[in-house]
Structures are given as structure tokens and as C-alpha cells.
Amino acid sequence: MGIFDNFFSRPPTRSTAAVAKERLQIVVIHERGGRHRSPDYLPALKKELLEVVRKYVHVDQSQIKVHLDRDGDCEVLELNITLPDEEQRVGAG
Amino acid sequence: MATVIVVTSGKGGVGKTTTSASFATGLAQRGYRTVVIDFDVGLRNLDLIMGCERRVVYDFINVINNEANLNQALIRDKRVENLYILPASQTRDKEALTKEGVERVLNELRQSFEYIVCDSPAGIERGALMALYFADEALVVTNPEVSSVRDSDRILGILASRSRRAEQGDIPVKEHLVLARYAPERAHRGDMLSVDDVLEILGISLLGVVPESPAVLQSSNAGVPVILEDGSDAGSAYSDLVDRFLGKSLPHRFVTVQKKGLLQRLFGGS
């Protein structure tokens, strides 16, 4: 068993370049904080959006996801709300 | 209308001066009136790389302080027409670079030159900030190595926030990546960040890849910008880079591993 464990669970050897890239991505994103206006309004936006949505449909706090992404010069605000199946109709009526 | 281009990197020793010298020489070779300015006050080296160190009489700081006029300080290149060098002072420190002084000299240069290349010192101190402040475009020189990439990202942040264009809410400084000292075979083996890795992290457009090459040291020994070394790999990389900067669309070379032919394998060759 031990032999097989060793054999199968050995992590694939990662190149040092891949390690470098991952480390850089993390450190660079962290350091860019001040550079691209950090979306510090996101929590408030999320709360207010949730309040609006809740007027019509009952959704749980965890069912709403707000994500701000950057694609070149373009900022994309992604809003993802999972509606519950039954209550969807009740709420809309 | 003159274009001001800063050659910058944050980190030292990545190839800023080598790039400034070859880039300016390439622009002049193509017929554009070009001046290259050394902003590394106190540690000047552009004069050595350009091979005009014995012709320096007056310098950039003398002109800023009105101790000499531009015509006295500008050194005309003996090899390439249309090319001038404005050396840095070796005896002052970078505090001598005042924003007003630099602006005045640049405005005067704009009257007679089409391209003004500013060779930035390393770091993010006064010299580097002054070199990039008035820039319209930036060549960000990066090596495929963690500290260089991180520092380049930092410089990109400064270009986007502390240049004159940023302060005045003008069109942002146009940023170009120059990936220097690249070794395709090491990147292929996974021992070095690849071109794509660096592009993905920095998110700016690639102007050129300059391969790690013995020609760079050799030409610096002789005081000849490597772009003038016909047939050298680094020289042709810089030549392509200048053409691309001027709008030609050329495929990137020195990015993938080249299979050596039989003759090359037998006789070496760069």
C-alpha cells in the first residue's frame, strides 16, 4: 500500500518557472492594490443589491456574488444571483 | 511634433542603457532626428555605451543650470547621422534635476528633434521620476526573472499615476514591453519565465524580445551600440524592435527554440 501511495501521490514536478509565475501573480496583484482603484465599495454594493432583490425574491446572503474584473481597459462588474426554484414565482407574483 | 520616450525598468542592470543606445541609434538610422539623454546623474554610462566618453565637455545639468547651451552640450554621433547624445553630469547628484529645468531643456529639444529618448536610472527616486515625467511613450525593459518583473510592474504603476500625462488626465503614457536577456531554450525547459508568462503578468504589449547574447557585452566593450553589429542576434532584435515601434508589423523572433543546422552545430555561431 505504502509503495502504491508513494507512486501515485507523488506530485507532478513543477517547473521553477511555473512557481515563479504563481508567486509573481500573487505579489503583483497584492501590490497593485492602490494602482487600480480598489473596489472598496463592493461590500456596500452587494448589501444594497441584496436588499433590492429581496423585495421581490427571497434569496440568501450566500446566493449573491459580486465580482469586479478587469479586462484590458475595460472593467466588468459581474453579478451572479442564484434564485430559489419555488419561491421565484411567489416572489414575482 | 516630437515624441518623448522613456526607457525605464525600476530594477538596475536589466538593459536600460543598452536599449536606449540601440533604440535611439535605430531611430536615427531610419532618418529621424533623435537625441538620447542620460538621466543617471552621478552614475553616467550612456556615454561609454555610445562610445563618446572622451567627447563630453558640458552635460545635461550644465544646460539646466544655464552654464552651457544645448549646442555646447549635445554630442553628435560620428557613425550615424541625425543622432545626438546629451550626457549626464558625473559630479552632481540627482537633486540637480529640477522639473522646471528638465521641462525647459525638453521643450528646447522638441524644436529640433523628432524623437527624444530618456535613459532612466534604476530605482524610483528623483532621477527615474524625472526621466518618465514628461514621457509620451515608455519602453519598459524587463528580464524574465522575478525581481525584474515585479519592479517593472511597480514602474508601470508609477507611469500610470505620476507622469505628467497621468497628472493632467491626458491620454496615458503608451507602454511597451522590451523583454531582454531572454533564453528561449531555458524558458522551454521551464527554468525561466516565458514571454507569455511575463506578458500575462504585466499586461502590456510586447515591442520586442532581445535574446541573451555575448554580442551585448562585446559591443559595450567597444562603445558601439549593439544594433550596429550587423548579423548579431541582439542587434537584429533591436532592429526589429525599432521597426515595430515605427509601425511595421514584424513577427517576433528569438521567442522559440531554434533548431541548429548541421553547419551551425559544427562551427558554432550565435
Side-chain angles (χ1 to χ4, degrees):
Chain A
M1 188 110 146
I3 297 168
F4 282 106
D5 268 358
N6 262 343
F7 190 79
F8 289 110
S9 67
R10 180 180 295 174
T13 43
R14 292 179 68 209
S15 71
T16 56
V19 176
K21 185 183 178 187
E22 192 184 314
R23 290 175 60 217
L24 270 170
Q25 278 172 326
I26 292 166
V27 76
V28 154
I29 286 166
H30 178 74
E31 287 169 354
R32 273 177 196 168
R35 189 167 133 202
H36 301 304
R37 192 160 34 89
S38 69
D40 49 1
Y41 55 84
L42 274 194
L45 176 72
K46 186 174 168 179
K47 190 166 159 272
E48 278 183 52
L49 281 171
L50 192 65
E51 277 165 22
V52 174
V53 174
R54 270 188 179 156
K55 279 188 187 171
Y56 304 93
V57 195
H58 179 77
V59 286
D60 192 66
Q61 175 84 36
S62 62
Q63 296 305 303
I64 178 165
K65 287 191 175 63
V66 182
H67 186 68
L68 191 69
D69 219 347
R70 186 166 262 278
D71 185 14
D73 295 335
C74 211
E75 271 181 310
V76 181
L77 181 70
E78 196 182 300
L79 182 63
N80 204 334
I81 306 171
T82 313
L83 298 173
D85 281 339
E86 309 113 63
E87 283 160 67
Q88 193 177 344
R89 282 180 173 278
V90 182
Chain B
M1 193 50 200
T3 305
V4 179
I5 303 137
V6 62
V7 179
T8 186
S9 70
K11 192 178 183 300
V14 297
K16 280 184 298 298
T17 302
T18 300
T19 299
S20 299
S22 280
F23 182 65
T25 304
L27 290 171
Q29 276 181 315
R30 285 154 185 77
Y32 296 96
R33 286 184 60 83
T34 306
V35 58
V36 55
I37 310 175
D38 192 348
F39 273 76
D40 206 345
V41 177
L43 291 168
R44 77 164 173 234
N45 278 318
L46 181 67
D47 55 338
L48 272 179
I49 300 300
M50 296 292 297
C52 63
E53 70 277 8
R54 294 174 63 181
R55 297 166 62 206
V56 177
V57 182
Y58 293 108
D59 58 58
F60 192 15
I61 302 300
N62 289 138
V63 181
I64 287 179
N65 293 342
N66 291 310
E67 295 153 358
N69 63 40
L70 257 179
N71 288 333
Q72 291 174 296
L74 284 174
I75 301 172
R76 195 169 71 85
D77 191 87
K78 286 188 169 167
R79 297 156 297 215
V80 181
E81 227 182 308
N82 303 313
L83 180 60
Y84 290 78
I85 299 114
L86 183 54
S89 168
Q90 188 69 323
T91 51
R92 316 286 177 88
D93 61 42
K94 294 188 172 59
E95 299 313 305
L97 289 170
T98 60
K99 197 180 271 183
E100 297 69 31
V102 173
E103 182 171 28
R104 205 194 73 236
V105 176
L106 288 181
N107 284 342
E108 204 176 322
L109 289 170
R110 280 175 209 272
Q111 307 301 313
S112 38
F113 290 97
E114 291 165 285
Y115 288 106
I116 303 171
V117 179
C118 303
D119 182 20
S120 172
I124 50 172
E125 267 44 76
R126 181 164 201 93
L129 293 179
M130 281 303 106
L132 69 78
Y133 186 74
F134 297 97
D136 301 306
E137 309 203 23
L139 305 194
V140 178
V141 185
T142 307
N143 293 167
E145 173 268 322
V146 286
S147 45
S148 172
V149 176
R150 180 200 217 170
D151 291 358
S152 292
D153 192 70
R154 182 95 172 86
I155 277 292
L156 288 170
I158 292 172
L159 282 166
S161 61
R162 298 177 69 181
S163 60
R164 182 167 70 174
R165 283 178 171 270
E167 281 183 6
Q168 298 184 348
D170 222 337
I171 305 164
V173 178
K174 194 171 175 192
E175 304 151 340
H176 308 270
L177 178 67
V178 176
L179 190 60
R181 308 196 71 164
Y182 192 64
E185 59 290 343
R186 293 173 72 184
H188 183 73
R189 282 201 304 266
D191 297 342
M192 179 184 268
L193 288 163
S194 70
V195 178
D196 290 337
D197 291 342
V198 179
L199 283 174
E200 194 183 323
I201 293 162
L202 294 179
I204 58 174
S205 68
L206 179 66
L207 186 63
V209 175
V210 182
E212 170 84 67
S213 160
V216 172
L217 181 62
Q218 285 163 0
S219 67
S220 80
N221 289 339
V224 177
V226 72
I227 196 170
L228 294 178
E229 299 289 352
D230 288 333
S232 73
D233 48 0
S236 2
Y238 277 117
S239 190
D240 282 10
L241 181 155
V242 172
D243 283 332
R244 263 183 229 115
F245 182 85
L246 294 171
K248 258 196 200 171
S249 117
L250 293 174
H252 285 285
R253 294 194 274 169
F254 314 107
V255 172
T256 49
V257 183
Q258 297 290 314
K259 287 223 171 69
K260 281 194 173 179
L262 181 63
L263 285 177
Q264 265 184 310
R265 264 192 246 180
L266 285 175
F267 299 110
S270 48

